[in-house]
Amino acid sequence: MDGINFIQDFAVVLLAAAVAGSICRRLGLSVIVGYLLAGMAVGPYTPPFSLVLDVARIETLSQIGLIFLMFAIGLGLSLSRLRLMGATTLVATGLGAFFVLNLTQILGLTVGWTADQSLFTAAMFMVSSSAVIAKVVHELKLEHDRAGQLALTVTVLEDVVAVVMLAVLGSLAAGSDQAPGGLVGLLGSLSAFVVLLVMAGLFLVPRLLRRLEARADPELQTIAVAGVLLLMALLAVRAGYSLALGAFLLGAIVAEMPQSRGIGRAFTGLRDIFSSVFFVSIGMMIDVRMLAEVWGWILGLGVFTLLSRTLATSFALILVGTPHREALRAGLALTPLGEFTFVIAQLGVASAVLPKTFYPIAVGVSLLTVLVSPVLNRHAAGILEFVERIEPRWLTRLLGTYRDWLLQITSVRGGQWWQLSKRRLIQIGLEALFVTGLLIFSERILAGIREFGWLEGFDPGRVVLSFWITIGLVVIIPLIAIWRNLAAVGMIFAEEASRHTRLSAQVIEAALKVVSAVAMASWLARIVPTESLPRWAWLIVAIVLGGAVAVFSRRMIYWHSRWEDTLGDVFRSPAAGEGESPEGTTRPAPAWLATPGDWKINVQECVLPEGAACGGRTIADLRVRSRFGCSIMEIHRHGATLIAPEPSQVLYGGDRLLLLGTQEQIERAREALTALTPPSGTPAFDEARLETLRVPAGAHVGRSLAELQIHRHTGVLIAGHGRNGHRRINPLASQTLEAGDELLVLGGPRQIRDFKHWMHAEGASPASDPGSGSGPTLRSPPVSA
């Protein structure tokens, strides 16, 4: 009966989510609000409507939903996209999170929270809702406003902050001691694990997807990715982190693949189902009676969140050089809290760091910010004007001076040494983290292999020795690469330093090599678990590795080059849909929009729907500038960008246009360009029919099909032509018509009726004698095209 009860609970969750979500969508609210309310309605704490009573089963559903939700978030945030967002925005996001942390800690000291409770609460307030912000930005036409673009970029990067905080908080809650050195050691261990998992994923996942793609079986591809997804989540848990980390990382890895769009489509249904399950299960955990007890906390923390997030994110953006008006506008847009608030609250309550009252508090504060944020942003202009009126002049001048100084500093390029070495330094850092991750998690890997029972029957001592020899052979290749890169960086630095000192380049280079060797030896001594083997066994490992280096050193360098090329191919290969915006998101602003000088640039996006009436017509035919006063600056089509398109450029459904003009001009142009072809002129596909008609005498006789342009006038397609018993399918455009010719016509009922009227309007009426064969005659029944 347990299986039947599980099916019953699952059905209740989905039906409740569908009903509540549809009601909230009709009211203009986020469906997440509906899912939470549905959970509170059917959960175990709201009798007599409690339809789901098994708390353990609820938690299981929640975990499954979290995995698919995090995979979907990672799938929308590829590693390449993170790289393109720029260092300044990344720094601003980190600073904003740091300021929120400090403000929340001050609040925690005031109200008497413990240090761990303040940390969990700050993590709940660090992350905004990307879905709500994207909706607000779209409704207010801010997609190509600088402040709107900043808000969208920061909210995406805050997802990364949330994943990092989840991993850190999960380790702290579990009392993990795998990383000595406190929080710094924990962050280092986390970075090593992430790099290890990402590099392994980038090496293995593309090969798996290519093999499955070659079999042309999307069903197997979806099943395989789902299996890898659950495995990655399990690996993250076994490493001492949250399963959300593994699911998010796999999503980010798959986002780099050319198959990402197909996988995204295949997982859309699973994502929708299980993400709704997650939010409903969060709602079911809330004791509704507690809301009456904590409503004061909800209001107080809601106001604190709105103020602290606006101030923290605005100040962080100002520090990286954003004009303070744009920074404040972006800060107002970044106020709504998102799904990570519920995830972190769930972790805090489950680990007993936070009391159970924090469930309804987290939900209430999040709902309050989601409801208030659109109102604040609709009145943003008035808020900004009020701030400008009360802002002291000296502060305005100080901020302007600081921004000018920052622009002057950032415009100075680094020295030659930095320009030549930065790529190698990044490689050193990533490969060092990879080696660190592999070594510090090696014992967990061995324990996992033993759990599967693959090593039963083998001598345990030989198994451990063989395992460490294998790990050593894997590690030695990046170690050689690290040493070669350190030597190259040292040589470049020595050449640069010798110009400013009396020491020769050879002496400086030799000294740097000694320092590098000592640093590498000290680093390896700290991360290698020497207690895993006796000293004589480590001596055997060293002899084997030394022999491998002596014999295969050139081959190892070649393998490392192939490994780098493989990773480079992953990042260079265009992912499916690259250059296009996923549903629910906006394209990044064009680079020229960021520096318009003193011009008041108003650029907005217009997406032509499929079946748009303007589809197939040129810009010159549409007379966009003369009719509406605005200009088409760019056209984005299937990943390609057409800048300053020619008047002869044809527009098609699905095109994304960047329109330049006043708000009124753009609105009038959008209304005209997005108008659809009337349904009556476009019959449904299953209404198409074939009819054979005879050509009457008239002005069209003796003219070719190309001259008559029948499709343009009537919408029908001439599929065949017959004369004197000779019939031809798909006649040429040069085919002339004679009285009495047969035409096989394809079209809808109205189109064929228009064609008959058009033919008779062009010529004489057909003879009334049915035996003469003149006049329109139905020769075949309707067909389903």
Side-chain angles (χ1 to χ4, degrees), residues 92-106 126 304 308 311-317 319:
T93 306
L95 286 174
F98 176 74
F99 295 148
V100 170
L101 172 63
N102 283 270
L103 291 172
T104 308
Q105 285 178 331
I106 294 173
M126 282 181 187
F304 171 79
S308 63
L311 293 174
T313 54
S314 300
F315 187 54
L317 289 169
L319 288 181

Side-chain angles (χ1 to χ4, degrees), residues 500-745:
H500 308 286
T501 64
R502 296 181 180 180
L503 297 176
S504 65
Q506 291 77 10
V507 173
I508 298 175
E509 183 180 353
L512 289 175
K513 284 186 177 180
V514 172
V515 172
S516 299
V518 172
M520 287 187 65
S522 175
W523 162 55
L524 290 174
R526 287 180 61 85
I527 62 175
V528 173
T530 52
E531 68 279 359
S532 300
L533 289 175
R535 293 184 179 180
W536 64 266
W538 283 116
L539 181 61
I540 293 176
V541 173
I543 292 173
V544 172
L545 296 183
V549 172
V551 177
F552 299 107
S553 60
R554 292 185 179 274
R555 176 62 61 178
M556 288 179 176
I557 295 172
Y558 170 74
W559 288 336
H560 182 265
S561 299
R562 290 292 304 274
W563 160 251
E564 285 188 333
D565 290 340
T566 300
L567 294 184
D569 289 342
V570 170
F571 286 106
R572 285 190 295 268
S573 61
E578 185 177 328
E580 299 177 21
S581 301
E583 186 178 355
T585 63
T586 58
R587 295 183 53 85
W592 49 264
L593 190 59
T595 54
D598 296 331
W599 296 88
K600 301 295 183 181
I601 299 295
N602 181 27
V603 176
Q604 295 183 22
E605 188 174 86
C606 174
V607 181
L608 302 186
E610 298 295 338
C614 64
R617 301 178 65 186
T618 65
I619 297 175
D621 291 340
L622 295 169
R623 298 183 293 117
V624 175
R625 175 172 288 190
S626 60
R627 289 172 60 195
F628 311 113
C630 59
S631 300
I632 299 177
M633 306 300 292
E634 291 182 0
I635 301 175
H636 301 281
R637 178 184 299 154
H638 302 305
T641 301
L642 305 175
I643 301 175
E646 297 286 340
S648 59
Q649 178 64 51
V650 179
L651 302 182
Y652 298 99
D655 285 353
R656 290 176 178 265
L657 313 180
L658 285 188
L659 301 178
L660 171 66
T662 65
Q663 184 66 32
E664 182 182 356
Q665 291 170 341
I666 292 177
E667 288 295 337
R668 289 194 293 114
R670 179 183 283 112
E671 182 179 358
L673 294 173
T674 57
L676 298 175
T677 304
S680 57
T682 308
F685 202 51
D686 57 358
E687 292 178 357
R689 64 175 61 192
L690 284 169
E691 289 193 20
T692 302
L693 307 175
R694 287 196 179 275
V695 177
H700 46 260
V701 172
R703 299 172 66 184
S704 66
L705 295 175
E707 293 173 332
L708 291 171
Q709 297 185 353
I710 295 174
H711 184 270
R712 178 179 176 184
H713 290 294
T714 65
V716 301
L717 176 69
I718 304 301
H721 174 266
R723 180 184 298 165
N724 299 329
H726 299 285
R727 292 181 174 178
R728 181 172 184 173
I729 301 298
N730 295 326
L732 299 176
S734 59
Q735 177 66 55
T736 58
L737 299 185
E738 300 293 341
D741 285 355
E742 290 181 320
L743 295 179
L744 182 62
V745 179

Side-chain angles (χ1 to χ4, degrees), residues 37-88:
L37 295 177
M40 287 188 282
V42 301
Y45 301 108
T46 53
F49 304 105
S50 302
L51 301 178
V52 181
L53 300 175
D54 193 329
V55 176
R57 192 174 291 138
I58 294 171
E59 291 177 350
T60 302
L61 291 175
S62 175
Q63 295 296 313
I64 297 174
L66 178 61
I67 291 174
F68 284 95
L69 176 65
M70 296 304 301
F71 175 72
I73 293 174
L75 199 60
L77 185 64
S78 68
L79 301 175
S80 297
R81 186 180 178 191
L82 278 177
R83 186 177 56 187
L84 293 174
M85 285 181 176
T88 56

Side-chain angles (χ1 to χ4, degrees), residues 446-474:
L446 180 59
I449 295 174
R450 282 173 168 166
E451 285 184 12
F452 281 102
W454 294 342
L455 305 178
E456 292 182 1
F458 294 94
D459 180 65
R462 292 183 179 180
V463 166
V464 176
L465 181 61
S466 302
F467 173 78
W468 276 108
I469 290 175
T470 305
I471 291 291
L473 291 174
V474 174

Side-chain angles (χ1 to χ4, degrees), residues 124 127-130 279 336-343 366 369-370:
M124 289 163 50
V127 189
S128 56
S129 172
S130 54
F279 290 115
L337 299 181
E339 53 273 9
F340 280 105
T341 300
F342 312 131
V343 178
S366 178
T369 57
V370 167

Side-chain angles (χ1 to χ4, degrees), residues 97-119:
F98 176 74
F99 295 148
V100 170
L101 172 63
N102 283 270
L103 291 172
T104 308
Q105 285 178 331
I106 294 173
L107 176 67
L109 291 174
T110 304
V111 299
W113 290 336
T114 65
D116 287 347
Q117 287 176 336
S118 296
L119 184 60

